[in-house]
Each structure stands twice: as structure tokens, then as C-alpha cells.
Amino acid sequence: MSTDPQADTAAAENPATPEAEPSAAAEAEADPAADTDRTGPDGSVTAEPAGAEDEAGPAAVHGEAGEGGPGAEPPVSGRGGEGESPAGPETETETGSGAEGEADADAGAGPEGTAEPAAEAPATPALSEAQAELAAQRIERERIARRKAEREAPVAAGAKLSGKAADLLAAVRAVEGGAKPSSVYFDDAPAAPRKAPVAPPAPRPAAPAAVAASVPSADTVEGVRAVLARGGAPEALAGPAAAALGEDAAGQLTENPWRLLSLPAVRPTQADGFARALLGAEAGPGDERRTTVLVGWLLAQAGLKGHTALEAPVLEKALAQYGVPDPAEALELAIAEGSVLVFHEPLGPPVAGPSENAADAADAEDAEDAEQPVRVLVGLEGAAMAEESLADGLARLAAGTFDASEDWERAAGSAPSPSASELIRAVAGHGLVTHTGGEAARAEPVALAAAARELGLRVCLAAHAPGGGPDRVTVAGLLSGAEGPGRDTDGQFALDLLVVLDAPQLDVETAAALVESVPDGARLVLSGDPGVLGSAGAGRVFADVLAARTCPQLVSRTPDPGPLGELVSGVGIGELNQVDAPGKEVVIVPVKDAGEAVHRAVQLVAESVPRAFGIPADSVQVITPGHGGSAGTRALNAALKERLNPGPGRFGGFDPGDRVVHVPSAGRALPARVVSADAEGLHLERAGARIVVAKELVESQVRHGWAVTAHQAVGTRWPAVVVVLPGDAAQALSRDWVYTAFGRGERHLSVVHGVDQALPHAVAEVPAKPRTTRLTGLLTALATAGAQPG
């Protein structure tokens, strides 16, 4: 590899980990919630700086920090040890950097400029693409729930519990502590195997109907505005609150002010201040209304980090960190009211109870008394229903049987590579297949799709991000009906084979909607690189399917070529290797501080890479761990804009020609370019198409895009990539982050390196953050049930 002390790619080679002085603690993507595209229905940001829950900002409930009033009161309780709870306050925020301490979800914050577009926003703005998509997702979840209720078989690995809360909590404690076998309190019988195809889902309603259904009336908004004013909250929250809570939003907030936590921008300490203003002394930390809402909010925050459920002790610990005096009682109440669901997940084979001699353990009588080790999980209904529906749909497809005809064998024989041949043969005889590999392996599912089309099958290739060829659609476009084959009269995709690229980017709700729409008799292939960063939403779908091992799994033997492929492959197995890069495919640029990192990055994009490789600056992408700090995306984008497209930023901080990232919904970061702005909003060009972002949504949905985070970059590649690692980014690095960032370059990678030994340490010793999910257990239980006779 090469170093570049003058920011020129023609310098001599040096080791990949040059000496550099680390700087202050990073603001970076310390967890998935801190560096993914998550904005609420109103475009609000869901993350916030560590230790700054009631920090002032555009979405703060009670004005400027340090001002009087309920919002200025301190948190109800202190924060616990750092990094201990996936739902607790210390892990739900993006770490601040330096004095800035800013935290917004990936591409969730607004532009660096402050000027506004010329036109005024209408009094009642039309719903955005993001809100329409949320409405469609809600309709999809309701349909999934209806189908779930129609099933006669019990859920394989969990069920909603009812009865007295005290008895339920005692059951949970007894099972967790090993005092009682789970069979005393839970139905351990697996779901019955599918005997016949389930009725197809109803057709998805058209988008206009979904939009209209989610628009609150003017009277509703005015009623909410009055309640917010009494509690000292910004009137700007009236519209989002009315949309989130429905026509009775004012009554709900009056009765339970903590329902304000339904808005993504609101934090518990802000909701506490609002409640104290409305209720006075009644609004204590142990108020049942508060604790019940807080349980759901904590689970929702855990969902932002990828969890679909949490273990009961973890949830109780998080409740304690928010000042709940009796966390166990609070959880008990939430369970009793049915606002959360309880599940048990088997952890292994039954363990025989105590006996007088070892031989007794093998006796049939002792086997009946064997205890089933389980972990008790608590989750929200939406994720639970989606995960169970997904498991059921995957099991349905996996159970499909196909005859591998001679035509399939001929197609396999003429495939362009041995791995492509193996994939074609596997798909010929199975309804569900997984395929893993690096960037070069993406050619194999493409070859499969071509072969299937030659055989007369209706085929669709769906990817996470747009681009990649005229025969590919995006997953979001396929689900919405804007792209792909459309749906038949039963509401299912009109296809015989669906190949999903970038499968690690599927969250559980998206995957459930996708799988539910694949008709019986069709085949599904989930393909992707398991080493990249996971989905922006809840679930670890691809990893869970791989872990369940209930369908054929094809591993590509096609290596990524060249020095870049060698470097990235090494990172994938925990090794940061020096690679021979005679063509300067990989260059290391050591820097001492963040200011130098920004300077070098601009030099590389604007001068060095274009001069050495003939790659225009517009095709060079900068990737860095976080948004804030002296070398985050904000600082880099400001410097790059000044160099590459200077201007006053009169359109809400943007000018025609600016490279931007558009985030219409959580997890979708789409590169675009600014064309103009008018009364309608900001006009963008994206993949050859024109789109308009309404003025009131520009701040939350659009940011400059010369520099992005790795979560924004996943699923897309550029001819050249510059990865900027300032000293304060050391704590944000992990193996999957480095793997993803380094793998975005096709021809060239420059690493602006200021993290010293933190880079090899992250690659060798910092794995992806774990997520608590249920899909593996559900799939295993369904496969076991299907294998049983009768």
C-alpha cells in the first residue's frame, strides 16, 4: 500500500497503520442507531447526544437549554454504566465529539446552511413520500396481524400471555431462575407443519388512499396545539402528534402526557417536563401512565438498534436508569395491559432434573420431567408479528418442492463460473436458497436470473440501492408497486423467481412484507455479503436465516479481485494486511489531526485522484464514521462544497449542482443532485429522474452528499473512495464498519488515517454489535415441526 504525505497518489509505499496522535473522543456511529437513516414520520431525528436528553434544539420540547420551565429540570435519575443496556439511555444516543456534541440520525439532520427556499410552506402540507411509506407499512402490519389471528396453529416460540400480572411475573422469574421448567407456564408445543397454502394477502391499497388516511384534521391539530401550549411544548409538534396519535390525540395527551413520547424527537426527560406542567405533583417517576409508555418507548429505541425484543432483566435495568422506582412492577403492569408481549425462546435441549444416579436421567419418566432452558423475551407487537409472519413465510417457501429438469442442468452447465453453476442447481430444486459472497459474487445471482429467464420464468432482481443495471429494481420500489412486475389479483408479486441482493439490509418488517408477497410455487433467493453493516431497522434477517440452516446455503468461491479485493477479504476475517498495490489502488494518507484530515480529503477528491486515475471528482465518494466533529460529514461537506460547488446556499443551504443524499424513509439514503428550488420545494435529480422534496421536509430528509457515513454508503459502490478516519473516530470503528467502508471503492481506495492502532484493533477485535432477535428460533422450530411424522 502507499502513503500520500502530499496528498498525491504517486508517493512511495508505507505500512497500513502509520503513527498518528489520537484526538478527542469520537462522535461516530457507536451503534447502528447512531449511524443509520432514521427519521420519524415528521422527519424528526431519533438520536441525541450522550448525556443530553433535554438538550435544546429544533425538536426540543422546552426551549433553550438552561432556561426555566419544566423542560429545564434535570433527568429523573442518573445514568448507569456505559454500554450496559441495549435499551438504556447510555446506548441509545450517538456519542458527541468535542464541544459540538451533535447527534442526528444518518442523513436525518438538515443542511449546514440556514437560508430557506423562497416559497412559504402551505398551512397544511401534503404528506411526504416518507409519510406515505409509513402509512403503507402500517397497513401492511395490520394485514400481517389479521393473518396471524387467522392461523389455527400456535406460535412456535412464543405467545401473548394473559391472566393476572403477578402470576405472570412470577412465572417469568421462576423460569429465568431455573426453579420451574418452562412447560409449567408456557406452551412448548411447536407450531403444526403447514398442511395447505395460506390464503394470499389482500392487495396493497394504492398510495393515495394511504396518504389520505393519515392526514389529521385541522380541528385535531388545533386541539393538540392547545394541549401542547398548556404544557409548555412547542406548537410545531401539533401536526406530528396528531398524525401519530389519531383524532383523539388531544384527549390522549391530556389523560396521559407521556404519550408525547410517540414522537421520535421527544425524549423521556422532555415528556416528564410536559407531564409535570399538565399534572403537577401527580407526575411522579413511578406513575403507571409513565412507566407503561416508557416500557414501549424503550423497546422502540431498542428496535432502532436492530433488536426485535429484549430480555426482561435488560429492560428492567433500562427502566431503573430512567428513575422508575420498581422496574419489575412496571414491566408487570405493561404485560398485564397487553402493551407488550412476552415470549420464551428455547436455548437448547431439555435438561434432566436432579436424580439419585446418572442412569435415572435416561429413564423415560425423568425425561418427561426434564426442564427446557429458555430465555424470556419482551417485545412490541409490530416487530413480533412481523418476525413470526416472516418465519412462517420463509418456512412456506422452503417447503416447496421442485423437479430439477434437464433444462436447469443445461443452464447450470453453461453458467459463467462454478459458483454460478452451483447456485443454479440449488435453485432448480428448492424454493428458498441463501447465497453469500463478496462484490465479485454478485455476478452469480445475476447469472441465475438470466438463466431462469431463458427457461421462461418470470424473474425479478431487487437490490437495496438504485442502479446496477436496467433489469434491477429496489426493494422499496418493488413493495410500493412503483417498480417491478406488479401484483396479481391476490396481491402477490407476479413472478416465479425473486432474487434479493443486499439481503443483509433487510429489516424484519420489510422482509416480512416481501416474503408474504411471494406466491406459493415461486422461488426466493436471498443473496448478500454477511460481512457488511446490517439493516437500519429491527432484525438481523439474513444472519438469522443463515444461522437457522433450514435451507440450502451456497457460499461463493469467487474472490474479489486485485489489491482492493485482497485488502477487504482480509478485513472480513479480522486481518488488516499490507497488500501489494503497484497501481496505487490502495493509498494511506497519515494525518495528525482533524483539520489536516479535512484538508487532505479535499485534496484527494479535487486533485490527486482525478489527476492520477482520470476519475472525475463527482465519482469520488468520501466516507467517515460520524456527522459531527471536526472531520465529520458536516465539516467535510462544507469544505468540499466550498471547493467543488461554492455558493450562498440560498435554497435551505443548497445550491444547484450540489451533491446530496435524500432520505425519504429510514434506511434509504439515495444519492442525488440539486437542480433548483421553487414554491413546491427542492428539486433533485436522482438516477435520471426528477423528484421534489417539500420545503418543510428538506431539513430532515436532505443533506450534502460529497461525504457520507458507511451506513449511507452500504449497497452502493463508486470508482474511487476516500475513507476519513480522524483521531476522534477510534471508538466508532468495528470490523463490519471498516469492511463496508473499504469495500465501497471499485478502482481506488485512499485512507486518510489518524486513528493510529485503533484501526487494526477494530478489525481484529471489534465484531458487529449483537442484536436480540427471535427469527432463528422460530425457523428452527418450524423446521423441526415440519420434519416430525404426521
Side-chain angles (χ1 to χ4, degrees):
M1 280 184 281
S2 301
T3 60
D4 190 3
Q6 301 300 323
D8 196 300
T9 52
E13 297 184 0
N14 266 348
T17 55
E19 296 293 327
E21 290 292 327
S23 58
E27 177 205 301
E29 46 188 46
D31 54 58
D35 181 48
T36 39
D37 310 314
R38 295 186 179 88
T39 53
D42 58 345
S44 303
V45 175
T46 62
E48 67 168 11
E53 286 173 340
D54 46 0
E55 181 179 357
V61 178
H62 296 286
E64 296 295 329
E67 287 186 354
E73 298 189 19
V76 176
S77 72
R79 302 171 84 82
E82 188 164 351
E84 293 177 352
S85 165
E90 74 286 350
T91 58
E92 74 203 9
T93 57
E94 181 174 344
T95 305
S97 176
E100 191 169 279
E102 295 171 274
D104 50 3
D106 218 26
E112 292 76 10
T114 57
E116 298 204 6
E120 292 294 329
T124 306
L127 285 196
S128 66
E129 180 183 348
Q131 290 170 310
E133 187 165 324
L134 288 169
Q137 290 174 355
R138 184 169 62 252
I139 293 170
E140 184 68 25
R141 287 195 297 270
E142 291 171 356
R143 183 180 65 76
I144 289 173
R146 287 196 301 272
R147 289 197 59 190
K148 184 68 181 175
E150 293 170 0
R151 297 190 183 106
E152 296 182 357
V155 175
K160 184 174 179 178
L161 304 181
S162 59
K164 294 183 178 180
D167 293 341
L168 175 58
L169 197 61
V172 172
R173 297 291 179 271
V175 174
E176 286 179 328
K180 295 286 186 181
S182 63
S183 57
V184 173
Y185 300 107
F186 303 100
D187 179 10
D188 281 325
R194 182 185 297 271
K195 298 297 183 182
V198 172
R204 183 188 293 270
V211 172
S214 59
V215 178
S217 68
D219 290 343
T220 298
V221 174
E222 189 57 37
V224 173
R225 185 176 287 113
V227 177
L228 294 175
R230 293 204 309 271
E235 294 186 7
L237 296 178
L245 298 176
E247 290 299 315
D248 188 32
Q252 293 182 53
L253 288 174
T254 301
E255 180 181 349
N256 185 350
W258 287 281
R259 294 297 304 276
L260 198 64
L261 281 172
S262 300
L263 304 185
V266 178
R267 315 303 294 180
T269 48
Q270 297 167 338
D272 287 339
F274 179 65
R276 284 191 292 271
L278 289 181
L279 304 177
E282 281 186 66
D287 190 301
E288 291 182 352
R289 292 167 292 185
R290 176 184 190 262
T291 60
T292 300
V293 171
L294 196 55
V295 169
W297 181 82
L298 287 168
L299 287 169
Q301 294 300 300
L304 295 178
K305 298 175 181 63
H307 306 273
T308 60
L310 289 178
E311 295 186 57
V314 172
L315 191 53
E316 290 175 8
K317 184 173 183 179
L319 288 167
Q321 290 174 334
Y322 278 106
V324 175
D326 190 340
E329 183 180 354
L331 182 56
E332 171 186 343
L333 179 65
I335 293 171
E337 292 187 353
S339 61
V340 297
L341 307 183
V342 177
F343 308 92
H344 74 285
E345 183 176 76
L347 295 176
V351 178
S355 58
E356 294 184 0
N357 57 71
D360 292 340
D363 293 342
E365 184 176 346
D366 285 342
E368 293 179 359
D369 296 333
E371 297 181 2
Q372 173 71 64
V374 300
R375 64 172 178 170
V376 178
L377 302 174
V378 182
L380 294 174
E381 185 174 11
M385 294 297 100
E387 205 156 28
E388 290 166 2
S389 173
L390 174 59
D392 193 58
L394 290 171
R396 166 176 62 88
L397 295 174
T401 56
F402 301 89
D403 292 328
S405 65
E406 293 182 1
D407 291 338
W408 279 99
E409 182 57 36
R410 281 194 294 271
S414 60
S417 69
S419 291
S421 296
E422 293 175 4
L423 178 60
I424 292 171
R425 290 189 178 96
V427 172
H430 299 87
L432 177 64
V433 174
T434 63
H435 170 261
T436 59
E439 289 295 330
R442 293 170 73 91
E444 293 155 19
V446 174
L448 163 68
R453 290 191 183 100
E454 288 292 326
L455 294 175
L457 273 64
R458 299 170 298 172
V459 181
C460 181
L461 266 170
H464 174 65
D471 59 339
R472 300 186 196 181
V473 303
T474 63
V475 170
L478 177 63
L479 286 173
S480 68
E483 303 175 64
R487 298 175 184 265
D488 59 22
T489 56
D490 294 321
Q492 296 188 306
F493 296 141
L495 51 75
D496 303 302
L497 170 63
L498 173 61
V499 180
V500 180
L501 305 173
D502 307 312
Q505 302 310 304
L506 291 175
D507 62 81
V508 67
E509 295 200 25
T510 301
L514 201 66
V515 172
E516 283 277 351
S517 300
V518 177
D520 289 336
R523 298 170 170 93
L524 172 65
V525 176
L526 299 177
S527 176
D529 188 342
V532 300
L533 289 163
S535 67
R540 52 191 297 271
V541 172
F542 193 51
D544 284 347
V545 173
L546 292 174
R549 308 188 73 83
T550 55
C551 67
Q553 299 183 359
L554 276 297
V555 179
S556 174
R557 291 174 288 157
T558 305
D560 289 335
L564 266 173
E566 182 183 348
L567 176 66
V568 174
S569 297
V571 171
I573 60 173
E575 299 175 359
L576 186 62
N577 300 318
Q578 263 192 261
V579 297
D580 184 21
K584 303 298 184 290
E585 294 87 350
V586 181
V587 171
I588 304 299
V589 184
V591 294
K592 295 180 179 179
D593 54 44
E596 186 183 2
V598 173
H599 174 72
R600 296 299 190 199
V602 173
Q603 258 190 337
L604 285 162
V605 173
E607 300 174 11
S608 301
V609 173
R611 180 173 65 247
F613 299 99
I615 298 173
D618 277 355
S619 297
V620 183
Q621 183 64 56
V622 178
I623 300 175
T624 193
H627 293 302
S630 300
T633 61
R634 293 188 190 92
L636 285 162
N637 276 315
L640 287 161
K641 175 175 171 56
E642 183 179 358
R643 179 65 182 273
L644 298 173
N645 194 47
R650 62 192 183 95
F651 300 136
F654 300 100
D655 293 296
D658 279 358
R659 280 176 66 178
V660 296
V661 173
H662 177 221
V663 184
S665 62
R668 295 178 63 201
L670 307 174
R673 189 172 296 277
V674 176
V675 177
S676 62
D678 55 24
E680 292 184 75
L682 192 66
H683 292 247
L684 307 178
E685 183 179 23
R686 188 178 74 197
R690 294 290 186 95
I691 60 170
V692 180
V693 181
K695 173 187 172 183
E696 63 276 4
L697 298 176
V698 169
E699 183 177 1
S700 62
Q701 291 192 1
V702 184
R703 72 157 66 243
H704 283 115
W706 286 283
V708 299
T709 62
H711 275 94
Q712 289 179 315
V714 70
T716 305
R717 300 188 83 205
W718 292 266
V721 163
V722 176
V723 176
V724 180
L725 302 176
D728 61 0
Q731 298 301 315
L733 300 181
S734 60
R735 183 184 303 169
D736 56 340
W737 192 96
V738 177
Y739 185 90
T740 301
F742 284 14
R744 297 310 91 205
E746 296 174 337
R747 293 172 52 194
H748 173 75
L749 167 68
S750 283
V751 181
V752 179
H753 192 337
V755 290
D756 195 33
Q757 294 303 307
L759 180 57
H761 169 78
V763 169
E765 301 181 26
V766 185
K769 293 182 181 297
R771 301 183 179 195
T772 304
T773 59
R774 302 169 48 233
L775 183 59
T776 296
L778 289 166
L779 288 171
T780 302
L782 286 168
T784 302
Q788 291 175 353

